[in-house]
Amino acid sequence: MIKIKIDNHQLECEEGQTILEVARKNNIYIPAICYLTGCSPTVACKMCMSEMDGKRIYSCNTKVKNNSEIFTQTPEIVSERKAIMQTYDVNHPLECGVCDKSGECELQDMTLRMQVETQPFRIQDDAKKPGFWAQAIYDPDLCILCERCVTTCKDNIGENNLKAIKTDLHSPDSFKDNMPKDPYTVWSRKQKALIGFIGESPCLDCGECISVCPVGALGYKDFSYKANAWELQKINSTCPHCPAGCLITYEVRHKDITGENQKIYRISNNFNHNPICGTGRFAFDIASSKEGSKNLFEAISIFKNAKAVRIGGDVTNEEAYLIENLRRKIGFKLYCEETKHFKDFINILSQKQIINLSDVKKSDLIITIGSSLKTENPLLRYAINNTLKLNKNTSLIYAHPIKDMLIEKLTKNILSIQYSPKGDEIMLAAILMALELNPEDSLKEIYDTKIDIQKTITKEIKKIIPQEEGQPPKEIIEKINETISLPYYKILQDIGITYEIYEKIVFLLKAANYPILVIGQDIYKHQNAKNIATLLKYLEENTHIKIILIPPETNSVGISLICNLDEDNGELKNTIGIRSIGEYIMDSDKINSKNKQKQKVNFILPAINQLEGTLTNFEYKLLPLKPALPYNGYDLSDIGQAFGFKAESLIDYTHLLPKKAGYKNIKYDFLRNFYTNSGEDKRGYQIEPDKNPSSYPISIIKSIIPQTFNAYLKYPQAHFSDTTAQSENLQTKIGIYTSKNNLETLNLKQGDLICLEKDNHCIEGNIYIDYDLEQDIFIISPCLDRSGLFRQNIFQNLTLKECK
């Protein structure tokens, strides 16, 4: 720790922090419009100007120095900040009364804070064309060119779709000599460019650029002129769509003159500390019928006679707790197939330490195996991208059977490995070999396939060339090519890990001080998943590699800790489906607020955005859910009362969640859900489950027959479940995705209905382009696989047929 002074406050801080970071952590206000926490500083607004040891600096990009003294409010600095705000206000449209940002506009706030009362500057205005991309509307007349949208797209999202594009606008040259340098620089820069979309492929959903915009320049198209910011009730909750469990804020208001019918108008986020994906931002248009079902006694009777209950991966912790206790009392089988695979895996792995996103941001080598990273956990993908952007020494090894051009564009320091389907275990073996590990001789068969490969290398040879009499001989370096024989292993080569790739793996692992291994959703259904878990356990115990698991469903971690799950036989008869399939379905009827369509269910449960409860995310944090919309019907707690469970509501179970699993005796109403100004996570609490590992021996890793495939089961970016599939807000559609090249080869156009078939099982869906896909394959949304064609293997060879 080092010591500094900011405005005469003696502070201790860590070396390497910026002045702005230290100030925010200690609640010292330094204005900054262009800066985004955790991203590259652009110094576009210069509002964070300060003095350090008598010199002008900018707090967002200046690191602290031991014993330095910083002043942030000198008369000169206050005057220049006021001048900067005056230039931002030049020609800014006076439409605050109808602007969507009014009431939460940083330009309004800062203009008042800097006490701007007069306008000494002027310049001729220019006509500017509006822009449109994804769900955003861009109004250039309101833009102050802070470039926060450009920064978050690059440093958080990793798509680099936005840029400040040079534009011919009137310049403030006449004021150059009679105003301070910094205000003039800011104004001049603002008059030289506008934000433009430069992406090579369409941008869909996302909306993080809308969130970070400090003014009304970027807005959500469906919110425009619908409500005023100050009318909206803001409700902090947890995103229910994927295992990340991001902090989201529902912005709610009545939608009619009675004030009885509430509507979610939009979702916002704490963009400085928690960027969110398009699903979290826009898939808010699904809810249950407000009054629910009346057939409570029918549902109770069905429970009494049920042979099995199948639950969805998005049931809350409290619902899981009640269902588990009903299982113990009634004796039915309890299914949750994807989560059962995950539970078996984590019980064997039995991690010593739960790794979180802060660990990712310290890493100098990130390896992913079996993860379609862009779709499975967007928040983790954003953290990896942010790490790669801000730490130029960090590398990424992305190993998966499908090449993803979006991931390849994140960094130059990427090693992309396309191995054969089911080759995940052998990919892990390559890591063990690179570390010179051979747990219990499990790599024996790999070493037994030793082969010699030929490699051409360039050698430098010194030669002495005699010179004329009296002259000293001349030494030259001559380069010659030589073919050498090198030992390698056929098993690695057969699945696509070439010698050159293996060499790079060895180099990166030996150089890494803080490596992290990300295990994706493909792994848990692998035929040798238990052996992979055992090898990972060995790797964690014997190396400095840290492991992060991406759970298969929203609350897989919570369900795994709370419920005893049985092997799912796929039967529907005498089976209750709770937020899942069954003969008797208890679920949200998923009314779409736009088209009013709804699903038929036997007993209506509240949608996740209508109930109080908790989820457990992939970082093993219990996170609170808050209802954004009213629900007056029955829920599972009413059924529980019929079996002797006295809780009046689901949240009466929150403090009763199993302590052995790491949950705490904290009542729901005492759970917090926010980030501090410095980014400290104050959401819910950390779970530390007791370790009770399943014993499983390490097996010898066998060779596989490389599998050809043309179909892969995975939701497209922005979709995670049947719930998001019902959303009309999302631009990304459920369907069958392929490369642009393959669509043209098949002579199809986007939106065409196609049929893929195998063994008389058919999957129908509309076809769309995945612009990040180069292979001529089909990526199929899981909710389309109603016949279970992919149940045993997520990679298949299917035949394209005409739809009947």
Side-chain angles (χ1 to χ4, degrees):
M1 300 289 282
I2 62 175
K3 293 182 179 181
I4 64 169
K5 269 188 180 180
I6 301 181
D7 293 336
N8 297 316
H9 296 281
Q10 186 74 48
L11 305 171
E12 283 193 346
C13 58
E14 293 181 14
E15 196 169 357
Q17 287 185 293
T18 65
I19 293 168
L20 187 58
E21 287 172 337
V22 175
R24 287 182 173 180
K25 188 170 185 177
N26 290 277
N27 294 315
I28 297 172
Y29 177 73
I30 299 177
I33 297 178
C34 67
Y35 180 71
L36 284 178
T37 301
C39 294
S40 309
T42 61
V43 202
C45 72
K46 302 189 185 298
M47 288 290 288
C48 68
M49 63 176 77
S50 301
E51 280 187 12
M52 184 166 76
D53 299 332
K55 295 180 180 179
R56 171 68 59 88
I57 51 92
Y58 303 102
S59 303
C60 67
N61 73 344
T62 303
K63 302 288 177 67
V64 292
K65 293 179 181 178
N66 195 28
N67 296 321
S68 58
E69 190 164 9
I70 298 134
F71 294 98
T72 71
Q73 302 291 337
T74 67
E76 182 183 7
I77 286 172
V78 170
S79 174
E80 290 196 31
R81 285 179 182 154
K82 181 175 181 178
I84 289 172
M85 292 314 302
Q86 287 172 322
T87 67
Y88 275 143
D89 290 336
V90 172
N91 293 334
H92 196 87
L94 297 175
E95 55 182 44
C96 296
V98 294
C99 179
D100 291 336
K101 200 72 173 179
S102 186
E104 56 185 17
C105 173
E106 292 180 43
L107 187 67
Q108 284 179 332
D109 294 345
M110 207 75 78
T111 297
L112 290 171
R113 189 183 279 268
M114 298 302 126
Q115 299 180 4
V116 175
E117 297 171 345
T118 59
Q119 180 54 278
F121 308 121
R122 65 190 181 279
I123 196 172
Q124 184 174 328
D125 205 356
D126 297 274
K128 309 177 187 84
K129 290 183 179 179
F132 305 90
W133 54 83
Q135 306 253 26
I137 302 172
Y138 173 60
D139 184 344
D141 288 320
L142 298 174
C143 182
I144 61 172
L145 209 71
C146 66
E147 292 191 57
R148 283 195 338 202
C149 55
V150 176
T151 299
T152 199
C153 193
K154 173 176 67 75
D155 286 356
N156 284 325
I157 309 304
E159 300 204 15
N160 296 297
N161 282 331
L162 301 177
K163 184 181 179 181
I165 298 173
K166 189 174 180 181
T167 308
D168 188 19
L169 302 175
H170 280 84
S171 171
D173 291 342
S174 59
F175 289 92
K176 185 174 183 179
D177 297 328
N178 57 8
M179 65 187 297
K181 178 183 176 182
D182 277 346
Y184 175 78
T185 302
V186 172
W187 192 13
S188 178
R189 182 179 173 279
K190 176 175 170 285
Q191 293 299 116
K192 290 179 179 177
L194 294 171
I195 300 300
F197 183 83
I198 59 166
E200 296 175 358
S201 56
C203 177
L204 300 177
D205 300 312
C206 184
E208 192 64 20
C209 59
I210 301 171
S211 181
V212 303
C213 184
V215 292
L218 282 166
Y220 170 34
K221 62 180 180 58
D222 287 350
F223 180 75
S224 185
Y225 301 114
K226 296 294 194 305
N228 295 306
W230 60 84
E231 298 176 302
L232 298 170
Q233 180 189 3
K234 299 193 174 187
I235 303 168
N236 282 355
S237 188
T238 299
C239 180
H241 297 306
C242 91
C246 295
L247 172 64
I248 59 172
T249 302
Y250 295 109
E251 301 199 9
V252 180
R253 194 197 72 172
H254 59 84
K255 63 178 181 179
D256 55 27
I257 58 173
T258 68
E260 295 179 357
N261 295 310
Q262 298 292 104
K263 176 183 176 181
I264 302 171
Y265 278 79
R266 63 182 179 184
I267 284 178
S268 57
N269 64 304
N270 185 329
F271 53 78
N272 271 309
H273 308 302
N274 191 175
I276 64 174
C277 70
T279 318
R281 192 179 309 282
F282 299 120
F284 57 78
D285 54 332
I286 305 297
S288 293
S289 299
K290 183 179 174 182
E291 300 304 322
S293 292
K294 306 299 182 185
N295 55 332
L296 177 62
F297 295 110
E298 175 189 90
I300 292 168
S301 176
I302 293 290
F303 253 99
K304 288 178 179 177
N305 298 303
K307 301 295 183 187
V309 170
R310 182 178 291 107
I311 59 176
D314 58 348
V315 299
T316 67
N317 292 324
E318 292 74 16
E319 288 176 324
Y321 176 81
L322 179 55
I323 293 165
E324 169 61 18
N325 280 277
L326 286 169
R327 180 196 69 79
R328 293 176 184 176
K329 190 154 195 171
I330 300 171
F332 52 71
K333 298 282 188 181
L334 184 55
Y335 303 144
C336 189
E337 185 176 19
E338 299 291 333
T339 295
K340 174 70 165 69
H341 295 306
F342 177 72
K343 180 182 175 74
D344 292 344
F345 193 91
I346 61 174
N347 284 347
I348 294 171
L349 174 58
S350 186
Q351 281 182 274
K352 294 185 300 182
Q353 178 186 2
I354 303 302
I355 306 304
N356 58 35
L357 293 180
S358 62
D359 293 292
V360 172
K361 296 191 176 185
K362 299 174 193 171
S363 177
D364 55 357
L365 175 62
I366 301 164
I367 308 167
T368 71
I369 298 179
S371 172
S372 175
L373 191 59
K374 79 173 181 183
T375 62
E376 293 181 355
N377 187 327
L379 185 64
L380 178 57
R381 184 193 110 198
Y382 300 161
I384 290 173
N385 171 67
N386 185 262
T387 306
L388 294 168
K389 291 294 193 299
L390 298 190
N391 182 358
K392 303 303 181 184
N393 295 321
T394 299
S395 299
L396 172 65
I397 299 176
Y398 181 73
H400 193 266
I402 297 172
K403 186 176 183 178
D404 192 321
M405 294 309 298
L406 175 60
I407 303 301
E408 299 234 339
K409 292 173 186 174
L410 297 184
T411 178
K412 293 179 180 177
N413 301 335
I414 183 170
L415 174 59
S416 183
I417 305 172
Q418 282 177 260
Y419 56 79
S420 298
K422 298 185 181 180
D424 316 86
E425 186 182 27
I426 298 173
M427 179 64 220
L428 180 56
I431 292 173
L432 291 165
M433 294 169 69
L435 294 167
E436 299 178 359
L437 298 173
N438 185 8
E440 297 184 23
D441 208 23
S442 58
L443 308 183
K444 177 182 182 302
E445 287 202 7
I446 296 179
Y447 286 123
D448 285 347
T449 64
K450 184 177 177 181
I451 57 174
D452 289 328
I453 62 168
Q454 304 303 308
K455 184 177 181 182
T456 301
I457 61 171
T458 300
K459 295 179 70 174
E460 293 184 346
I461 297 177
K462 291 181 180 180
K463 283 190 174 183
I464 306 297
I465 307 297
Q467 301 297 306
E468 293 180 3
E469 189 176 346
Q471 297 292 323
K474 185 177 181 182
E475 185 180 279
I476 65 169
I477 304 293
E478 187 175 290
K479 292 182 179 181
I480 62 168
N481 290 331
E482 181 180 336
T483 300
I484 60 172
S485 184
L486 295 168
Y488 196 49
Y489 307 97
K490 190 173 185 300
I491 287 182
L492 299 185
Q493 189 169 266
D494 285 348
I495 71 158
I497 304 175
T498 64
Y499 180 83
E500 290 73 21
I501 288 174
Y502 179 70
E503 273 190 316
K504 291 176 183 176
I505 295 172
V506 172
F507 173 79
L508 290 169
L509 279 168
K510 285 186 175 178
N513 295 311
Y514 204 99
I516 282 182
L517 176 57
V518 177
I519 300 299
Q521 295 172 349
D522 292 1
I523 301 297
Y524 313 122
K525 290 184 74 172
H526 191 283
Q527 60 191 8
N528 296 329
K530 291 181 179 179
N531 198 46
I532 292 173
T534 309
L535 291 169
L536 288 172
K537 180 181 177 67
Y538 178 91
L539 193 66
E540 186 188 49
E541 290 174 348
N542 293 279
T543 73
H544 59 318
I545 292 179
K546 301 181 185 301
I547 297 169
I548 290 182
L549 305 180
I550 302 179
E553 297 174 293
T554 299
N555 199 29
S556 286
V557 172
I559 297 167
S560 297
L561 295 173
I562 295 167
C563 296
N564 289 304
L565 300 173
D566 299 292
E567 292 287 344
D568 192 345
N569 60 15
E571 287 291 326
L572 294 181
K573 189 172 178 60
N574 292 327
T575 300
I576 299 173
I578 300 178
R579 305 194 188 279
S580 185
I581 59 171
E583 186 177 29
Y584 189 89
I585 296 177
M586 306 177 70
D587 197 354
S588 167
D589 54 350
K590 298 182 176 72
I591 295 181
N592 187 290
S593 62
K594 284 190 172 180
N595 60 26
K596 305 304 179 185
Q597 291 183 357
K598 61 182 179 180
Q599 290 188 349
K600 185 178 179 181
V601 298
N602 301 102
F603 186 87
I604 298 172
L605 294 178
I608 304 297
N609 59 16
Q610 292 172 291
L611 56 72
E612 294 179 307
T614 60
L615 298 171
T616 309
N617 78 343
F618 79 111
E619 297 174 292
Y620 282 69
K621 290 206 73 173
L622 176 136
L623 302 169
L625 295 161
K626 292 281 186 179
L629 298 173
Y631 178 77
N632 302 325
Y634 297 116
D635 61 28
L636 289 179
S637 66
D638 297 292
I639 292 172
Q641 289 171 18
F643 293 92
F645 300 99
K646 297 181 180 180
E648 293 186 4
S649 67
L650 287 168
I651 57 170
D652 291 334
Y653 296 113
T654 303
H655 67 291
L656 300 177
L657 296 174
K659 307 303 176 288
K660 190 173 182 180
Y663 292 100
K664 299 179 181 179
N665 186 22
I666 299 176
K667 292 189 175 183
Y668 173 83
D669 289 336
F670 294 98
L671 296 172
R672 298 182 294 179
N673 197 17
F674 66 93
Y675 291 96
T676 65
N677 196 37
S678 63
E680 188 180 354
D681 190 342
K682 296 291 186 180
R683 306 182 61 213
Y685 62 77
Q686 187 70 48
I687 294 168
E688 296 178 2
D690 288 348
K691 299 293 187 295
N692 186 23
S694 302
S695 178
Y696 194 84
I698 294 176
S699 302
I700 292 175
I701 297 172
K702 306 281 187 181
S703 63
I704 63 169
I705 299 172
Q707 175 191 346
T708 60
F709 71 100
N710 71 347
Y712 172 57
L713 192 71
K714 182 66 68 174
Y715 277 110
Q717 193 172 355
H719 279 284
F720 299 98
S721 65
D722 187 53
T723 299
T724 61
Q726 304 304 314
S727 174
E728 287 290 317
N729 278 356
L730 293 177
Q731 295 170 320
T732 305
K733 302 303 178 187
I734 289 293
I736 299 170
Y737 283 75
T738 192
S739 65
K740 185 178 180 182
N741 177 71
N742 199 35
L743 190 77
E744 293 170 355
T745 301
L746 296 172
N747 198 26
L748 295 169
K749 60 181 184 297
Q750 290 206 74
D752 283 351
L753 184 67
I754 67 167
C755 177
L756 297 170
E757 188 179 72
K758 182 178 181 180
D759 299 333
N760 296 320
H761 293 288
C762 181
I763 294 177
E764 283 190 355
N766 301 101
I767 192 165
Y768 301 102
I769 295 174
D770 181 339
Y771 289 92
D772 301 315
L773 183 64
E774 286 192 337
Q775 291 151 273
D776 292 341
I777 61 173
F778 301 104
I779 300 180
I780 299 168
S781 301
C783 60
L784 299 180
D785 183 22
R786 298 181 182 89
S787 61
L789 199 155
F790 285 87
R791 191 173 183 194
Q792 299 302 321
N793 189 355
I794 56 175
F795 295 93
Q796 294 287 349
N797 262 309
L798 305 181
T799 303
L800 181 63
K801 298 280 189 180
E802 278 190 33
C803 292
K804 297 177 182 178

